[in-house]
Amino acid sequence: MGIKEHNKDTEQKILKYAEEEFLSKGYAGARTTSIAEAAGVTHAMLHYYFRTKDKLFERILQEKTTKLHDMLIESVTVQDENAQIEDVVREIISSHLDFLCQNPELPGFLIGEMQRNPQFSKFVEDNLKSFSVQLFAKLGKLIDKGVQEGKLNPINEETIMLDIISLNIFAFMARPLVNAILGGCMNDIEEFVESRKKENFDTIMCKLRKQ
């Protein structure tokens, strides 16, 4: 393994254990000494790669928002110019749920940290804004077209995105409660996510389509 490959491997190992530390203990409770120990590196080496706890934290969040960006933007750009609203809504719901399936603890963590730290809240907002405009533009265009054709109700795209996010994210935010009430329905999270894709799509389209 060359020096560059070794450095990259070490960096990714630090990021992996840092993510676990932050998600389990929150930003305030996370310790760089614990992260270094778990990653099998010295504390000095961790600071060599990431300088400060803040920088390490920001790097993890940047990677997560970039991943979400890529998944959601692909869900709308993969459609051709003749795409139907059903295709785009289905892809947005599916991509978002796939991301949540891969990061089930992230929603609760982000909301908790945003409530405690206004500066962190702005950081997340700035990162998410970078791609929400593209999603809104695509949805808005298709909704306007459907309204003109008499097929859709005149609901703005921000409302539809809020509905999608709310439907997708609630179960992850309230996972212990949902599991307790519904008999462990989220124990097999991949199976749960697949069922939610259909249910959430049907709910959104029922609201959009003219009856």
Side-chain angles (χ1 to χ4, degrees):
M1 180 185 294
I3 294 176
K4 287 185 178 180
E5 289 81 4
H6 176 74
N7 288 346
K8 187 67 175 176
D9 183 63
T10 301
E11 182 180 277
Q12 290 304 311
K13 189 181 293 185
I14 292 170
L15 287 170
K16 175 181 181 293
Y17 288 103
E19 180 180 334
E20 293 177 4
E21 179 83 358
F22 284 125
L23 288 177
S24 63
K25 299 178 181 178
Y27 176 81
R31 297 288 178 266
T32 53
T33 50
S34 300
I35 296 167
E37 182 179 354
V41 301
T42 65
H43 197 235
M45 186 176 289
L46 183 147
H47 282 282
Y48 167 77
Y49 279 96
F50 295 102
R51 294 171 53 200
T52 67
K53 179 180 173 180
D54 282 348
K55 294 293 183 185
L56 180 56
F57 188 56
E58 288 178 7
R59 172 66 179 277
I60 291 168
L61 291 179
Q62 187 67 60
E63 290 197 355
K64 293 298 181 185
T65 53
T66 297
K67 178 67 174 177
L68 179 60
H69 166 275
D70 292 346
M71 293 177 75
L72 288 177
I73 293 304
E74 183 180 1
S75 73
V76 296
T77 57
V78 73
Q79 309 294 333
D80 62 29
E81 60 182 15
N82 297 315
Q84 301 299 306
I85 185 70
E86 290 86 354
D87 301 323
V88 173
V89 168
R90 183 181 287 107
E91 286 299 321
I92 290 174
I93 290 172
S94 180
S95 295
H96 188 219
L97 279 171
D98 285 341
F99 176 81
L100 293 172
C101 184
Q102 295 166 15
N103 302 276
E105 308 302 328
L106 190 61
F109 170 79
L110 287 179
I111 291 173
E113 293 297 325
M114 289 173 75
Q115 290 174 334
R116 284 187 284 270
N117 187 342
Q119 186 175 352
F120 172 70
S121 181
K122 186 176 187 311
F123 175 81
V124 174
E125 180 183 338
D126 289 344
N127 276 273
L128 295 180
K129 271 184 178 178
S130 66
F131 60 91
S132 60
V133 172
Q134 292 172 268
L135 289 175
F136 291 157
K138 183 73 171 184
L139 271 177
K141 181 179 178 181
L142 289 171
I143 292 171
D144 288 345
K145 180 174 180 288
V147 170
Q148 291 171 6
E149 293 172 350
K151 297 177 181 178
L152 300 179
N153 293 310
I155 304 171
N156 67 53
E157 59 272 19
E158 288 89 352
T159 297
I160 293 301
M161 279 303 302
L162 178 59
D163 289 342
I164 290 173
I165 292 168
S166 300
L167 286 168
N168 286 355
I169 213 169
F170 171 75
F172 291 89
M173 289 292 300
R175 187 173 176 181
L177 178 63
V178 171
N179 252 345
I181 294 174
L182 301 179
C185 67
M186 292 185 72
N187 288 339
D188 186 334
I189 197 164
E190 292 184 2
E191 181 179 333
F192 173 81
V193 162
E194 288 305 312
S195 70
R196 295 313 299 165
K197 287 179 182 179
K198 182 181 185 307
E199 293 294 331
N200 294 355
F201 170 78
D202 289 345
T203 300
I204 294 297
M205 292 312 304
C206 183
K207 182 174 185 176
L208 266 174
R209 288 192 188 108
K210 280 207 166 185
Q211 302 301 312

